[in-house]
Amino acid sequence: MFRTSLRTVRTALGSKAFANAPAREQAVSTAFKVQDPKDFNDRVKNSKVPVIVDFFATWCNPCRMLTPRIESVIAEKQGKVLLAKVDIDENSDLALDYEVGSVPVLIAMKDGKVLDRIVGLQDVDKLKQFVDKYSE
Amino acid sequence: MKSRESKEKKSWYFNCCKKPQTMDSDLSDQENYTKSLEKLVTEQENIEADQKFMYDLLVIGGGSGGLAAAKEAVNLGAKVAVLDFVTPSPRGTTWGLGGTCVNVGCIPKKLMHQAALLGEAIHESAAYGWQVPDPNIIKNDWQALTTAVQNHIKSVNWVTRVELRTKKIEYFNALGYFKDQHTICGKMKNGEEKVFTAKNILIAVGGRPRYPDIPGALEYGISSDDIFSLEKAPGKTLVIGAGYIGLECAGFLNSLGYDATVMVRSIVLRGFDQQMANTIAQEMERRGVHFIYQAKPSKIEKQADGRLLVHWVDKERQTHQDIFDTVLFAIGRKPLTEELKPENIGLQLIPETAKIDAIDEQTNVPNVYAVGDVLHKKPELTPVAIHAGRLLARRLFGNSTEQMDYVNVATTVFSPLEYGCVGLSEEAAIAIHGEDKIEIYHAYYKPTEFFIPQKDVSNCYIKVIAFRNGDQRVLGMHFIGPNAGEVIQGFAAAIKCNLTFPKLKDTVGIHPTVAEEFTRISVTKRSGLDPKPQSCCS
Ligand SMILES: Cc1cc2nc3c(=O)[nH]c(=O)nc-3n(C[C@H](O)[C@H](O)[C@H](O)COP(=O)(O)OP(=O)(O)OC[C@H]3O[C@@H](n4cnc5c(N)ncnc54)[C@H](O)[C@@H]3O)c2cc1C
Ligand SMILES: NC(=O)c1ccc[n+]([C@@H]2O[C@H](COP(=O)([O-])OP(=O)(O)OC[C@H]3O[C@@H](n4cnc5c(N)ncnc54)[C@H](OP(=O)(O)O)[C@@H]3O)[C@@H](O)[C@H]2O)c1
């Protein structure tokens, strides 16, 4: 049970889809995985709409549960707010720069500025409230 | 350290003023004057140093000892950087920040040991009324186990990383070597080199598993660096070497359901009390681990089916062979000191072992220190490295004079039935004090929880070594049984407080525990009485 759900999340997080069709993926998808600091700069800090940044780790169980939840909440917003997923092991310095200690951490950003952050696993209602504030 | 430091300063004076001076003479007025002069000069030097170097302390090696020293040093206000870099194992395994213990040592080992104990508990639980489906069909999933273990390790790597950042310790993923006494070059993953200068440098590079010089060893063998993250279940495994690592690995592999064999060159657990060591081997054998004694591997070949054909030679020079899926070398560890280019600073190493013979953690190069597994004739244990690192930082930056005490360090071999000890072995006590000066108390015992599942108690055995006369101070305590590490830790504190045998006997036990057996011990070896407990029905 545990192993299947793990696999699903992994596939969802996999960068493969982006590598294959980066441009299109970006256009239609409301969620993406951050590749490196430059990517973060381009797609998160310079984003025209607010971005929720999901700092996660592959080894963290609560992260595995949170990511699909926040993905579904963001998907409902139809592009008014985006989701950027940052693997803290691949982008450690980036995570440390945003003072990520224990994961998962969600950060709401607009115009390159941090507006809000929540730490730890959240239920869907809580996530909706968090995202609603930035999708008006 | 004190002595070396003063030696250094004295020689400075020596060079400048050419005044002959004996090292150990009492302080004369002349010397007092010299001392204050030295002090002035050193202070001057200190001020210069702080401006001249990038760091007060540069630590090479982000493992147990290095990180402990770095954290303590920043707490005391020093500017500190840590270099840590993992060179892949011959098989290509690498890992993150934190050193041997966290990544390929104590932690994964203890977790696999725990997995083994849980397997044992599943079998026992049926006797306690748990309705487990046939325990014999319950199998361990190697991939699930290694994934869980590796995930835990990665979380520790991350926490370490965050801690360094919060404490403002600069961390570089670079392989360091000496350029000069105050300068370290760090080679990054991308090949780029970075130069670091520091007033003090701490060598805490630890060691890596050794491989024997026989055909096939490097190509087909693995080590403790690889086993905890092995993608494929190890299958039938030959463990070569009968030290801590060999016994622990063979022990958990056997309990997890893999056929395990230990190849012993001479004796089991050299340096440990041999009666206890042999009892451990006997207990492992009883549980199904095979032992090949007095044998040395001579060749490993890969067969067409991918399995490994191992040849070995016994003491009669007869050759034998058998087929294994995995061959794990646990024949000791080599310190990573030669890679530091010690010749560039004239750092002396022990020729046979490449270890550093530091005095109070100070090497022969006065501003270069060393802690942990690189130290000559010091226990290769994590808490030893941590404690020495922390105390050194306090002496360097906190005006402390407290030295590391390497005597009476407790340790535990996490074989399936654990063995914990502190202090002298029976052999060492006899060699040091003479047979008639010491008394050896011993007892077999039966853990309460062993009765219902009818677990074998034949190797649950304890031993206390004490002076026979005078205050009857306790010299050594040895325990084989469940949770030996937990049991022996508190007694180690008691020994540090000069525990005597009468005090031990005067201690009221906690019932029912296994640790209380120490308070009940009374039969001496000298008496020849039976150390076995009375039994009710077996
Ligand atoms: C399988 C196994 C089980 C063990 N179990 C236990 C146990 O149960 N209990 C216990 O107390 N001890 C145990 N130990 C021993 C313990 O792990 C060591 O004593 C301890 O890690 C030593 O710490 P250290 O600081 O000396 O070096 P390490 O922890 O080895 O750290 C050294 C670090 O320096 C890095 N490094 C090396 N060279 C360079 C360089 N030139 N530049 C930059 N970085 C470098 C290394 O990659 C490593 O990360 C075990 C060891 C093994 C192998
Ligand atoms: N629980 C713990 O605290 C723990 C656990 C694991 C490791 N450690 C630390 O890690 C250190 C290293 O452990 P280790 O087990 O690798 O080393 P070790 O304790 O030095 O034991 C090495 C073993 O390999 C044998 N050997 C050496 N060279 C050989 C060769 N060429 N061919 C065949 N056998 C050979 C030795 O036999 P001889 O006796 O004949 O030399 C010995 O049995 C230990 O000293 C320990 O401090 C601690």
Side-chain angles (χ1 to χ4, degrees):
Chain A
M1 197 319 285
F2 171 76
R3 306 196 83 218
T4 5
S5 63
L6 191 153
R7 212 169 291 142
T8 337
V9 177
R10 283 246 171 91
T11 335
L13 293 180
S15 49
K16 227 173 170 180
F18 305 116
N20 287 347
R24 257 189 62 213
E25 190 73 35
Q26 207 176 331
V28 296
S29 174
T30 55
F32 56 90
K33 204 180 150 193
V34 171
Q35 304 300 324
D36 50 42
K38 187 184 172 296
D39 192 33
F40 186 82
N41 208 46
D42 295 348
R43 293 211 273 177
V44 179
K45 289 176 104 173
N46 293 331
S47 166
K48 288 191 182 67
V49 294
V51 183
I52 305 295
V53 187
D54 173 12
F55 287 99
F56 74 96
T58 53
W59 39 262
C60 144
N61 274 322
C63 299
R64 286 190 204 126
M65 287 150 80
L66 181 77
T67 302
R69 286 185 201 167
I70 186 75
E71 275 173 340
S72 67
V73 170
I74 295 279
E76 283 172 16
K77 299 294 170 194
Q78 297 167 329
K80 280 196 216 131
V81 54
L82 302 177
L83 178 67
K85 290 172 285 191
V86 179
D87 181 332
I88 61 168
D89 290 316
E90 289 173 7
N91 289 291
S92 299
D93 286 321
L94 189 59
L96 289 169
D97 287 345
Y98 283 89
E99 283 160 12
V100 174
S102 52
V103 276
V105 173
L106 295 179
I107 287 178
M109 286 187 78
K110 176 108 207 296
D111 302 325
K113 287 196 187 66
V114 177
L115 302 175
D116 202 355
R117 64 192 282 145
I118 37 172
V119 180
L121 184 59
Q122 316 292 334
D123 59 32
V124 175
D125 285 345
K126 197 83 185 288
L127 291 174
K128 278 193 174 136
Q129 277 175 25
F130 182 73
V131 174
D132 279 349
K133 282 192 269 177
Y134 307 105
S135 55
E136 306 313 27
Chain B
M1 177 174 114
K2 264 244 158 91
S3 63
R4 277 246 177 97
E5 198 150 56
S6 52
K7 216 192 296 174
E8 179 205 3
K9 287 171 195 163
K10 276 178 188 162
S11 65
W12 170 84
Y13 176 78
F14 207 93
N15 292 342
C16 295
C17 312
K18 300 263 187 286
K19 181 190 173 290
Q21 189 176 17
T22 45
M23 269 288 299
D24 299 310
S25 58
D26 290 329
L27 287 185
S28 62
D29 282 347
Q30 173 61 45
E31 271 188 346
N32 274 337
Y33 169 75
T34 317
K35 274 250 140 69
S36 48
L37 194 82
E38 279 168 11
K39 201 163 166 248
L40 262 177
V41 173
T42 327
E43 270 163 15
Q44 186 62 42
E45 255 175 16
N46 279 346
I47 296 163
E48 275 170 30
D50 297 341
Q51 297 158 349
K52 207 159 75 193
F53 302 116
M54 295 159 70
Y55 303 100
D56 299 312
L57 176 68
L58 184 113
V59 179
I60 317 177
S64 312
L67 291 175
K71 287 180 208 165
E72 193 69 18
V74 288
N75 285 348
L76 293 166
K79 188 159 189 265
V80 182
V82 172
L83 308 193
D84 188 61
F85 192 92
V86 179
T87 312
S89 76
R91 187 173 215 281
T93 312
T94 60
W95 49 88
L97 174 62
T100 302
C101 183
V102 166
N103 292 285
V104 289
C106 334
I107 300 302
K109 184 274 303 295
K110 184 78 189 288
L111 297 175
M112 294 225 168
H113 174 60
Q114 173 66 6
L117 294 181
L118 287 172
E120 214 177 295
I122 292 172
H123 286 82
E124 286 163 35
S125 61
Y128 280 100
W130 288 101
Q131 300 182 349
V132 267
D134 179 6
N136 296 313
I137 60 163
I138 296 178
K139 294 268 174 298
N140 187 270
D141 178 340
W142 177 261
Q143 266 87 20
L145 173 60
T146 48
T147 304
V149 167
Q150 293 303 318
N151 281 348
H152 173 68
I153 292 171
K154 285 182 196 150
S155 75
V156 178
N157 296 149
W158 176 253
V159 171
T160 311
R161 188 75 200 271
V162 172
E163 209 181 352
L164 291 185
R165 173 71 75 111
T166 340
K167 288 196 181 284
K168 301 205 162 51
I169 297 170
E170 289 186 44
Y171 158 71
F172 300 92
N173 186 207
L175 188 68
Y177 65 85
F178 283 100
K179 203 161 165 228
D180 65 46
Q181 187 177 338
H182 291 284
T183 313
I184 296 290
C185 284
K187 206 166 176 182
M188 325 278 262
K189 223 188 221 128
N190 59 11
E192 248 175 65
E193 286 211 357
K194 236 182 150 88
V195 175
F196 306 88
T197 61
K199 182 158 185 269
N200 300 291
I201 292 171
L202 176 61
I203 301 173
V205 293
R208 293 293 286 270
R210 287 199 296 122
Y211 281 72
D213 189 14
I214 58 165
L218 279 170
E219 294 92 314
Y220 310 125
I222 66 163
S223 74
S224 53
D225 282 355
D226 311 300
I227 186 75
F228 304 112
S229 58
L230 212 60
E231 323 76 58
K232 240 177 71 206
K236 181 179 169 188
T237 303
L238 174 65
V239 175
I240 297 172
Y244 276 89
I245 299 180
L247 295 191
E248 291 178 340
C249 289
F252 70 67
L253 288 175
N254 176 65
S255 303
L256 292 173
Y258 305 103
D259 184 293
T261 303
V262 180
M263 187 174 285
V264 189
R265 177 170 72 172
S266 55
I267 55 171
V268 167
L269 285 176
R270 175 183 302 284
F272 282 86
D273 187 292
Q274 280 301 297
Q275 185 196 6
M276 304 308 279
N278 290 328
T279 307
I280 282 298
Q282 209 172 302
E283 170 67 16
M284 287 178 63
E285 211 155 351
R286 198 189 59 70
R287 286 163 181 256
V289 177
H290 314 288
F291 281 81
I292 304 174
Y293 283 97
Q294 311 263 340
K296 271 165 81 174
S298 53
K299 186 165 57 170
I300 305 174
E301 294 169 308
K302 195 167 197 152
Q303 304 191 130
D305 63 0
R307 302 187 78 196
L308 302 173
L309 179 65
V310 181
H311 303 249
W312 71 88
V313 187
D314 67 16
K315 67 169 188 284
E316 263 90 49
R317 294 179 165 270
Q318 296 280 334
T319 323
H320 305 260
Q321 57 186 51
D322 196 1
I323 295 164
F324 297 90
D325 298 299
T326 301
V327 177
L328 188 151
F329 291 106
I331 62 167
R333 298 171 61 80
K334 184 185 127 4
L336 293 173
T337 47
E338 277 154 346
E339 292 79 350
L340 293 172
K341 305 202 176 170
E343 65 279 4
N344 288 354
I345 60 164
L347 175 70
Q348 282 162 17
L349 304 179
I350 303 283
E352 299 77 37
T353 59
K355 289 206 172 189
I356 299 171
D357 191 7
I359 297 173
D360 297 330
E361 292 79 42
Q362 187 177 32
T363 72
N364 68 301
V365 184
N367 71 312
V368 178
Y369 300 85
V371 293
D373 284 4
V374 293
L375 290 182
H376 178 58
K377 293 224 161 121
K378 298 292 188 297
E380 291 180 19
L381 295 171
T382 273
V384 170
I386 292 176
H387 205 64
R390 199 173 281 153
L391 293 182
L392 173 67
R394 285 185 201 155
R395 294 198 302 276
L396 288 176
F397 305 107
N399 294 319
S400 159
T401 53
E402 200 188 337
Q403 298 292 357
M404 173 69 189
D405 178 8
Y406 289 95
V407 179
N408 289 338
V409 172
T411 182
T412 290
V413 182
F414 293 93
S415 42
L417 192 63
E418 300 173 7
Y419 165 39
C421 62
V422 55
L424 296 181
S425 65
E426 186 173 335
E427 295 87 343
I430 291 173
I432 297 169
H433 301 292
E435 197 152 10
D436 34 284
K437 291 268 164 39
I438 58 166
E439 197 74 86
I440 305 206
Y441 301 87
H442 65 159
Y444 285 93
Y445 67 96
K446 298 181 174 180
T448 311
E449 53 281 21
F450 277 33
F451 283 96
I452 286 180
Q454 296 189 2
K455 280 177 77 169
D456 191 301
V457 294
S458 57
N459 294 312
C460 292
Y461 179 71
I462 59 171
K463 186 149 98 176
V464 174
I465 299 158
F467 276 126
R468 199 175 168 193
N469 301 309
D471 63 356
Q472 300 176 48
R473 191 154 52 82
V474 174
L475 299 170
M477 296 179 80
H478 302 263
F479 178 97
I480 294 180
N483 304 309
E486 312 295 344
V487 169
I488 218 74
Q489 179 70 83
F491 288 107
I495 286 196
K496 199 126 180 108
C497 304
N498 297 318
L499 177 68
T500 63
F501 190 72
K503 280 277 182 236
L504 179 63
K505 293 292 294 177
D506 205 25
T507 305
V508 179
I510 303 171
H511 191 66
T513 64
V514 287
E516 71 173 319
E517 299 298 336
F518 272 128
T519 66
R520 296 157 43 128
I521 198 164
S522 62
V523 175
T524 64
K525 276 200 172 174
R526 187 172 272 114
S527 72
L529 293 174
D530 185 8
K532 291 227 157 63
Q534 297 297 321
S535 59
C536 60
C537 53
S538 59

